[in-house]
Amino acid sequence: MLFLAVLCAGCATRPDRPLDPVPDIAGLRRTALALVNDSRRTEGLPPLEMSATLNAAAEAHAEDMARRDFYAHRSPEGRDIADRYRAAGGGDWAIIAENISSCISCALPAGQLRAFHVDWMQSPGHRRNILDPRVDRFGFGMAAAEGHLYAVQTFVREREGYAGDIGALMPLVPGSAQR
């Protein structure tokens, strides 16, 4: 009986809000990559390639933040981008990073995506991740719950000689990790 009371107390502090639909996530991912690559091209940097593994890591984090109503690079359990990347099937990386953003009662996802990109490019740490010449793969996720929209960009470069999913690379973010 005491065990159930402790379980309920834990549930009250970690809501599980239902997700709102985010239309055309595949199109949003293509747009996000195009915005990032346009910014990189302007700086004379090579384009990034889309990674299904990074998309999965980004989407998982966006959905987790939306469901549990938190906003951070680390989950309440302390998991970070490296943990999410590995959970999505990624392997050893040389550099990994993520950018996050959110808004409440904001524009439709496609319009808000452009606003997020402008904001990221005006923030030194986020801009550094987008323009990091060391990364070569990109992922994007977006989720919504109760009018709150969350977006996540992920960047990576796999470790040299790693034979795993080379489509699972990500750029650096404030608090990102490097090996």
Side-chain angles (χ1 to χ4, degrees), residues 68-153:
R68 297 198 292 164
D69 192 24
F70 74 95
Y71 179 73
H73 288 286
R74 289 189 178 275
S75 72
E77 297 78 22
R79 290 190 208 100
D80 65 10
I81 180 57
D83 298 315
R84 289 185 287 277
Y85 179 62
R86 284 190 192 101
D92 289 341
W93 44 266
I95 190 163
I96 190 167
E98 78 180 358
N99 290 338
I100 63 175
S101 195
S102 71
C103 61
I104 299 172
S105 300
C106 45
L108 293 175
Q112 190 59 48
L113 172 57
R114 285 172 168 64
F116 285 153
H117 184 76
V118 168
D119 290 345
W120 281 325
M121 290 302 293
Q122 293 174 351
S123 163
H126 297 104
R127 178 183 177 90
R128 186 172 40 252
N129 289 335
I130 291 168
L131 300 179
D132 192 324
R134 300 171 295 174
V135 299
D136 60 5
R137 303 280 187 235
F138 174 80
F140 180 79
M142 186 178 275
E146 297 178 2
H148 199 151
L149 185 66
Y150 298 85
V152 178
Q153 291 180 320

Side-chain angles (χ1 to χ4, degrees), residues 50-75:
M50 187 72 71
S51 163
T53 304
L54 288 176
N55 284 340
E59 188 69 23
H61 190 44
E63 289 180 0
D64 190 32
M65 288 190 292
R67 277 192 182 104
R68 297 198 292 164
D69 192 24
F70 74 95
Y71 179 73
H73 288 286
R74 289 189 178 275
S75 72

